[in-house]
Amino acid sequence: MSSLEIRPTAAADLPSITEIYEHAVRFGTATFELIPPDLAEMTGRFGTLMDGGFPYLVAALEGRVVGYAYAGAYRPRPAYRFTVENSVYLQPAIHRRGIGLQLLQRLIAECEARGFRQMIAVIGDSANTGSIGVHSRCGFQMIGTHPNVGFKFGRWLDTVMMQRALGEGATTVPVEDPG
């Protein structure tokens, strides 16, 4: 694979990210959104994550954004402050080339560096074996499946929950809040 670069997201990357996510919303089951957000909405979401101190990465091939990954708050209540939920999206033509794996590995490292202790993967559609496999390769354990919780494309979809410890995980008490 030539010249893969994984780097922090810049505002100039957001149109490409918006395009990648639009395809995922319109044609995929990895996300349960039904209407693709526009650039203004995606810019707002990016700003919220940046303001919260969360990592947001892009994968670029020969300077062109082909995928992205970010971590955000798992839940809003303060007791969850050391736990993040991850998201990884790729252009369809780039699937099964190891880029999602590399993005997730880098995202895990970035979250550990920020002091987060647990990462949750909420995978849309139990048939999404690619995502389940990538998460397994990165050390995630299957937590469970919420059957038939989403309805998209005229059918019921499951949500698969996976989790992995970050850094010291739950073996020590955190010293300070991440972010």
Side-chain angles (χ1 to χ4, degrees):
M1 184 176 324
S2 62
S3 70
L4 177 67
E5 177 187 18
I6 296 177
R7 60 172 170 75
T9 299
D13 299 320
L14 294 173
S16 295
I17 287 169
T18 301
E19 183 180 306
I20 291 167
Y21 190 62
E22 177 181 353
H23 189 275
V25 171
R26 290 190 189 281
F27 302 105
T29 55
T31 175
F32 285 9
E33 280 201 72
L34 301 176
I35 299 169
D38 62 12
L39 178 59
E41 174 64 21
M42 292 295 281
T43 300
R45 293 178 186 186
F46 172 72
T48 298
L49 291 169
M50 294 297 90
D51 291 346
F54 297 103
Y56 203 127
L57 306 168
V58 293
L61 276 177
E62 298 172 8
R64 190 174 55 93
V65 173
V66 295
Y68 67 98
Y70 62 86
Y74 170 62
R75 298 249 173 130
R77 294 200 171 105
Y80 293 110
R81 69 191 176 280
F82 297 102
T83 302
V84 292
E85 179 180 336
N86 75 331
S87 293
V88 179
Y89 290 94
L90 303 172
Q91 287 182 340
I94 221 72
H95 286 202
R96 305 219 182 278
R97 292 176 57 184
I99 295 172
L101 176 67
Q102 291 179 62
L103 269 169
L104 184 54
Q105 289 169 332
R106 174 77 179 274
L107 185 66
I108 289 166
E110 294 285 333
C111 287
E112 288 176 334
R114 286 169 169 78
F116 294 107
R117 296 296 190 90
Q118 299 291 327
M119 183 175 280
I120 306 292
V122 181
I123 299 170
D125 194 357
S126 57
N128 192 344
T129 57
S131 183
I132 292 167
V134 164
H135 283 86
S136 293
R137 287 183 64 192
C138 286
F140 284 76
Q141 300 296 314
M142 186 68 68
I143 299 304
T145 301
H146 298 287
N148 305 311
V149 294
F151 190 79
K152 188 173 181 181
F153 303 135
R155 64 186 177 102
W156 289 103
L157 299 168
D158 302 337
T159 298
V160 174
M161 304 293 291
M162 299 182 79
Q163 181 175 343
R164 72 156 281 158
L166 299 173
E168 296 178 344
T171 63
T172 63
V173 175
V175 175
E176 59 185 68
D177 288 346

